[in-house]
Amino acid sequence: METIQQLKLYAKKVVQAGLVVGAGGNLSIREGDIMYISPSGFDLQEIEDHQWVRVEISTGKILGDLKPSSEVLMHLACFRKRPDIRAILHAHPTYSVAVSSTGNMIPPLFPDFPAMVHNVSYLDYVIPTTEILANAVADVISDSDVVVMRNHGVLTVGKTMKEAYFYMQLTEESAKVYVIACTMGKPRILTEQECQELRALSSERYRQTLLRNEVQ
């Protein structure tokens, strides 16, 4: 099944890229009114085909015996708010967590980040796995493809899992560049005009189209 293969592919990518450790992180893909989501307590790269949990998006009903990720409410909230998205990824990328825990935002320091990631929302710390967090994410997800949760992690959404994963990579790389730059001096942050000029480039719009249309 294509959906399962996509989930397995990006589950391994997330672990191999160091975006999660242990049994951390979760991801899901929508198929109609059904969400396929990683099971609770599993190392993402060790999930077998039959272990991805099916959940009805409209009702929250779990279809099967395994327990879904403890962040299932957050995934449901995003799918209910954003009928345009098909994939959700939640990870705990080191540099993004580090920068956000200081109260700072992750600034645009190189072209790819502002060109591809147009809106980032920041949430102050909310206890994970709760309805409180799910509601907080739901309040901002309509206008954002990236949500940075201070002292916790990052959530990205996309029309494909490839798009959601790319947003996660760019956010973490931007946080990493920022941390490194700060150790050497005061970073020059791209201006809003420079960011808008990047977003207007036809090459960047083409890349966005590829991310949203490709299968993997």
Side-chain angles (χ1 to χ4, degrees), residues 158-185:
K159 288 181 169 56
T160 62
M161 187 57 74
K162 183 173 186 176
E163 184 177 32
Y165 180 69
F166 191 56
Y167 289 158
M168 184 70 69
Q169 285 182 302
L170 281 177
T171 302
E172 176 65 353
E173 183 66 15
S174 298
K176 184 177 181 179
V177 169
Y178 179 57
V179 170
I180 294 172
C182 286
T183 66
M184 305 179 70

Side-chain angles (χ1 to χ4, degrees), residues 9-187:
L9 172 64
Y10 284 95
K12 289 182 179 179
K13 284 178 177 285
V14 168
V15 175
Q16 291 168 359
L19 296 168
V20 297
V21 294
N26 36 80
L27 65 164
S28 64
I29 289 181
R30 181 211 307 260
E31 285 291 346
D33 189 46
I34 299 296
M35 169 179 71
Y36 289 80
I37 189 170
S38 48
S40 179
F42 280 63
D43 182 315
L44 291 182
Q45 63 184 344
E46 296 178 355
I47 303 171
E48 301 292 338
D49 289 13
H50 66 282
Q51 293 174 323
W52 293 91
V53 183
R54 297 167 68 241
V55 181
E56 285 186 354
I57 295 171
S58 57
T59 66
K61 181 180 179 182
I62 300 168
L63 307 175
D65 299 324
L66 283 177
K67 185 177 179 180
S69 164
S70 57
E71 296 288 10
V72 62
L73 295 178
M74 186 167 67
H75 287 251
L76 287 171
C78 290
F79 281 133
R80 289 167 180 168
K81 277 276 190 173
R82 292 280 302 272
D84 61 307
I85 62 170
R86 184 169 176 252
I88 299 171
L89 175 59
H90 170 50
H92 308 138
T94 303
Y95 287 92
S96 298
V97 173
V99 171
S100 67
S101 69
T102 66
N104 288 315
M105 295 193 296
I106 301 169
L109 297 179
F110 59 91
D112 281 355
F113 185 52
M116 303 298 288
V117 181
H118 297 178
N119 297 299
V120 181
S121 289
Y122 292 82
L123 297 178
D124 288 337
Y125 178 76
V126 178
I127 187 168
T129 77
T130 63
E131 189 172 358
I132 298 172
L133 177 59
N135 290 339
V137 172
D139 286 342
V140 299
I141 198 62
S142 294
D143 302 315
S144 302
D145 293 325
V146 177
V147 179
V148 178
M149 296 166 274
R150 300 190 190 280
N151 301 94
H152 180 180
V154 177
L155 178 137
T156 59
V157 301
K159 288 181 169 56
T160 62
M161 187 57 74
K162 183 173 186 176
E163 184 177 32
Y165 180 69
F166 191 56
Y167 289 158
M168 184 70 69
Q169 285 182 302
L170 281 177
T171 302
E172 176 65 353
E173 183 66 15
S174 298
K176 184 177 181 179
V177 169
Y178 179 57
V179 170
I180 294 172
C182 286
T183 66
M184 305 179 70
K186 184 177 180 180

